[in-house]
Amino acid sequence: MADRPPFEDLYREFLGRIYAYVRSQVGTSADAEDITAQVFMNAFHAYARFEVRNTTPAAWLFRIARNATLDHFRAQGRRDRLRRTIEHQPMAEEDPAGKAEDRIQYRALLAQVAELPERQRDAISLRHSGLSFDEVGKLMDCSEDAAKMLYHRAVRALRTSLPEEAP
């Protein structure tokens, strides 16, 4: 099919974004690497059936990534997911005091995200992986407006649950 880009181009274009999305969902870079490899292996095997007119390459790949991540969690159990999410650490900063404060805030945010309903968590993660609301809606089997609503409700819930910063 002429509309479909070569798979190698999709791999180069989306590898970093898919890895970042998966890494935001799992606790270790090793798990993220394994799942990302599985995503592209699954995509490669299904590429002959991919039709550009039905969805964007990004939405198609992120659907595969989301499913692979959910499969991983089903295998590991929900309790392990919550533990890994809370223990997930941000990248190191140059200032040790600032790094410690950032880590505390990041853990608090991740703990609050973990408390959100699953569909709101998915909307936040997918949207922050660079997908449009239309793509998020397609991945989550809902309308673009419903995806926006899920995302904005999640953001509102996070704003109300996190403590205000001191001026």
Side-chain angles (χ1 to χ4, degrees), residues 93-111:
E93 299 289 326
E94 60 280 346
D95 173 33
K99 180 171 62 171
E101 181 63 29
D102 288 347
R103 185 171 293 164
I104 290 167
Q105 290 175 355
Y106 190 72
R107 281 187 174 179
L109 177 61
L110 286 176

Side-chain angles (χ1 to χ4, degrees), residues 68-85:
T69 303
L70 290 172
D71 289 345
H72 170 77
F73 290 134
R74 279 192 277 276
Q76 295 295 318
R78 189 170 179 89
R79 190 171 347 143
D80 286 344
R81 178 182 183 189
L82 180 58
R83 179 185 52 77
R84 282 192 304 270
T85 300

Side-chain angles (χ1 to χ4, degrees), residues 16-95:
R17 286 175 57 192
I18 295 294
Y19 174 81
Y21 166 73
V22 172
R23 181 64 179 98
S24 75
Q25 300 296 303
V26 299
T28 68
S29 58
D31 284 345
E33 290 167 6
D34 291 345
I35 294 168
T36 301
Q38 187 63 50
V39 166
F40 282 99
M41 182 65 73
N42 293 350
F44 179 76
H45 289 298
Y47 198 55
R49 296 184 309 273
F50 170 67
E51 293 188 30
V52 175
R53 70 173 189 249
N54 293 337
T55 188
T56 65
W60 179 71
L61 285 170
F62 274 94
R63 178 179 296 277
I64 294 170
R66 181 172 178 249
N67 290 339
T69 303
L70 290 172
D71 289 345
H72 170 77
F73 290 134
R74 279 192 277 276
Q76 295 295 318
R78 189 170 179 89
R79 190 171 347 143
D80 286 344
R81 178 182 183 189
L82 180 58
R83 179 185 52 77
R84 282 192 304 270
T85 300
I86 292 171
E87 292 175 358
H88 177 73
Q89 300 297 313
M91 299 304 289
E93 299 289 326
E94 60 280 346
D95 173 33

Side-chain angles (χ1 to χ4, degrees), residues 4-5 12 46 56 60 62-63 67 81 83 87 90 106 113 119 129 132 135 144 151 162-163:
R4 188 173 41 215
R12 279 192 289 277
T56 65
W60 179 71
F62 274 94
R63 178 179 296 277
N67 290 339
R81 178 182 183 189
R83 179 185 52 77
E87 292 175 358
Y106 190 72
V113 169
R119 290 182 58 79
S129 294
S132 69
E135 291 170 322
E144 178 180 357
Y151 176 83
L162 291 174

